[in-house]
Amino acid sequence: MALFSSLTPVFIAIICVLIGVILKKTRGEKGKGEPKSRLVSRPWVDEDLKDGTDHHLEEEEADEEWQGLDENVAHVPFSVERYSEAEMIKRSQTFYELLNKRRSVRFLSDEPVPREVIDNVIRTAGTSPSGAHTEPWTFVVVQDPYLKHKIREIVEEEEEINYKKRMGDRWVNDLKRLRTNWIKEYLDTAPYLILIFKQVYGRLPNGKKRTHYYNEISVSIACGILLAALQNAGLYTVTSTPLNCGPQLRVLLQRPANEKLLLLLPVGYPKEDATVPALTRKPLESIMVVM
């Protein structure tokens, strides 16, 4: 009896080992029958470019009394000029033809552009709708040659790393046909650089944070209106999302921590010898579904 008692722990240990071996073998055989999952290369995304609409206020701030827009904001009559059906069709066709000429141009001239034009296109972008009318955008216009060159240095340094290490082969290969790389000469030559920052939250007069609803979507809509306004004025640009440059550019341009860089637009006239890729756009039936 004493011998049996002393051997019991040994038997238990042996049984546990056998069970472990059996389970390991079973899992191994199961794994052999399943195809190995391929590692998918995921495009690297900048923190600044992530959607900021999920920003939550601190609990103590969320409990504060709302200090936003006046609850009793006045509503005024709204009247507009209404066009005939024929005029609507004509205007919509003309506007389409204008915007269909828009191209991303990477060869920009240093020819001066009237500052008033830049003021007007940004005013136009500021007409964009926004969540709860928070207008969560800041348009930083850079015309100083020194600042433009510093921006170019920051962007090119990070873009070279992006192309060689962060973006992945698939992304880089997709860009090859467009003949793009990390060299951004247009950041020096364009008479203006417009950097669009999204305000992920605002500040109340008492210093408390104020929620900016749908800030990512709101600023993106404003960017679209800005592109249309530039095309309407006869100016050209290339949409640039300077990955991993946001924090450095924010410091360079002395922007507050609540602002995140969303887009960088070099703005000007195309060079006389400028070229663009021979691309086509999807036909209407490929982008519209009528239910």
Side-chain angles (χ1 to χ4, degrees), residues 85-139:
E85 289 190 7
E87 181 66 13
M88 290 171 64
I89 293 172
K90 179 182 177 181
R91 290 172 67 92
S92 63
Q93 178 66 26
T94 301
F95 192 67
Y96 160 69
E97 291 172 356
L98 172 66
L99 269 293
N100 193 40
K101 296 176 182 178
R102 187 208 59 77
R103 297 300 306 270
S104 294
V105 178
R106 294 174 172 82
F107 305 99
L108 295 173
S109 166
D110 61 358
E111 183 180 352
V113 170
R115 168 62 187 278
E116 187 176 358
V117 176
I118 301 301
D119 292 350
N120 286 334
V121 295
I122 290 180
R123 281 194 184 100
T124 304
T127 67
S128 175
S130 60
H133 194 61
T134 51
E135 301 176 292
W137 42 67
T138 301
F139 300 89

Side-chain angles (χ1 to χ4, degrees), residues 9-221:
V10 177
F11 289 136
I12 294 176
I14 293 173
I15 292 172
C16 290
V17 171
L18 290 174
I19 292 174
V21 171
I22 293 171
L23 288 174
K24 184 176 181 180
K25 185 177 180 181
T26 303
R27 289 172 182 169
E29 291 175 351
K30 183 179 180 181
K32 290 179 181 178
E34 297 175 353
K36 292 183 179 179
S37 58
R38 292 182 59 188
L39 293 176
V40 179
S41 176
R42 299 181 181 276
W44 175 80
V45 178
D46 189 298
E47 288 294 327
D48 275 9
L49 298 181
K50 289 183 178 179
D51 195 333
T53 56
D54 59 351
H55 173 78
H56 298 289
L57 301 181
E58 285 80 358
E59 291 184 8
E60 62 271 18
E61 293 176 337
D63 292 336
E64 292 287 337
E65 183 179 354
W66 172 248
Q67 300 179 45
L69 297 174
D70 186 349
E71 292 182 4
N72 298 314
V73 62
H75 282 226
V76 296
F78 180 67
S79 61
V80 295
E81 179 183 359
R82 183 162 178 171
Y83 307 112
S84 66
E85 289 190 7
E87 181 66 13
M88 290 171 64
I89 293 172
K90 179 182 177 181
R91 290 172 67 92
S92 63
Q93 178 66 26
T94 301
F95 192 67
Y96 160 69
E97 291 172 356
L98 172 66
L99 269 293
N100 193 40
K101 296 176 182 178
R102 187 208 59 77
R103 297 300 306 270
S104 294
V105 178
R106 294 174 172 82
F107 305 99
L108 295 173
S109 166
D110 61 358
E111 183 180 352
V113 170
R115 168 62 187 278
E116 187 176 358
V117 176
I118 301 301
D119 292 350
N120 286 334
V121 295
I122 290 180
R123 281 194 184 100
T124 304
T127 67
S128 175
S130 60
H133 194 61
T134 51
E135 301 176 292
W137 42 67
T138 301
F139 300 89
V140 178
V141 177
V142 178
Q143 56 185 349
D144 178 72
Y146 171 79
L147 275 180
K148 289 194 296 181
H149 189 67
K150 292 298 293 182
I151 290 172
R152 179 181 177 180
E153 288 180 338
I154 291 171
V155 170
E156 287 187 343
E157 181 179 357
E158 289 298 332
E159 280 285 83
E160 183 174 5
I161 299 173
N162 293 335
Y163 272 80
K164 291 182 177 180
K165 296 182 180 180
R166 297 180 179 130
M167 290 163 54
D169 292 340
R170 182 182 301 176
W171 192 350
V172 172
N173 286 333
D174 285 343
L175 291 174
K176 277 184 179 179
R177 66 192 184 104
L178 303 178
R179 300 179 188 175
T180 68
N181 54 42
W182 58 84
I183 305 300
K184 313 293 182 184
E185 180 184 353
Y186 51 73
L187 295 178
D188 269 327
T189 59
Y192 293 100
L193 304 182
I194 302 177
L195 294 91
I196 301 98
F197 289 83
K198 61 179 180 181
Q199 301 170 5
V200 294
Y201 59 86
R203 286 290 182 184
L204 299 171
N206 63 2
K208 295 288 187 178
K209 292 181 180 179
R210 174 186 177 187
T211 303
H212 278 175
Y213 308 100
Y214 301 111
N215 58 78
E216 180 91 5
I217 297 173
S218 300
V219 180
S220 297
I221 295 172

